Amino acid sequence: MTARDPALTALAQGWSALALLHGRIETHVERALQAGHDLSVREYSLLDVLSRQHDGEGGHLQMKQVADAVVLSQSATTRLVTRLEDRGLLERYLCPTDRRGIYTNVTETGLKLLAQARPTNDDALREALDEAAKNPDLAPLVRAVESLHATAPA
């Protein structure tokens, strides 16, 4: 294989298109969430992930699982949790069965903010995807994202 290998060039172009789509979506959603709710995309994502926890077996996430879900390092996730805790949107407490474990839950205030922000997030995402679909290089990626939604369990 050489640097001019058509398969590698196509792969690089595909990766560039994916990065472009991600960047456009994230920027659009970020602006909407900041303007409407004083939330970043990462903050919204963290609240969303943590709001899905439950008290059943395996229902609470460890910090590494949370970090993976919001695509941040563990240290960045911890800083983000602290910021949201300082705003009264999250709370931490000791695991009742393992005092070494610490859980993080969304407070009532956090749940209210998340409920208010969810339509903003969804609308901004739809707008960004609709705009990207007009670009012939991005349209196949938009269709792929939309097909993931169509096959997801309800």
Side-chain angles (χ1 to χ4, degrees), residues 77-88:
T77 301
T78 299
R79 288 190 301 273
L80 183 58
V81 165
T82 300
R83 279 199 314 271
L84 293 179
E85 188 178 32
D86 290 346
R87 289 177 60 185

Side-chain angles (χ1 to χ4, degrees), residues 64-120:
K64 180 180 181 346
Q65 293 170 304
V66 174
D68 290 345
V70 295
V71 194
L72 289 172
S73 68
Q74 280 187 258
S75 61
T77 301
T78 299
R79 288 190 301 273
L80 183 58
V81 165
T82 300
R83 279 199 314 271
L84 293 179
E85 188 178 32
D86 290 346
R87 289 177 60 185
L89 303 175
L90 297 177
E91 60 188 358
R92 293 184 235 200
Y93 65 95
L94 290 175
C95 170
T97 58
D98 179 359
R99 309 254 335 142
R100 295 170 296 172
I102 298 175
Y103 289 150
T104 305
N105 277 340
V106 183
T107 63
E108 285 301 316
T109 302
L111 290 172
K112 286 178 188 172
L113 180 59
L114 179 62
Q116 293 167 353
R118 185 166 275 125
T120 302

Side-chain angles (χ1 to χ4, degrees), residues 2 10 22 35 43 55 62 64-65 85-87 100 103 108 110 126 129 133 135 141 152 154:
T2 67
H22 177 270
E43 291 167 337
D55 288 331
Q62 297 173 349
K64 180 180 181 346
Q65 293 170 304
E85 188 178 32
D86 290 346
R87 289 177 60 185
R100 295 170 296 172
Y103 289 150
E108 285 301 316
R126 179 76 268 160
L129 286 169
N135 180 326
L141 295 171

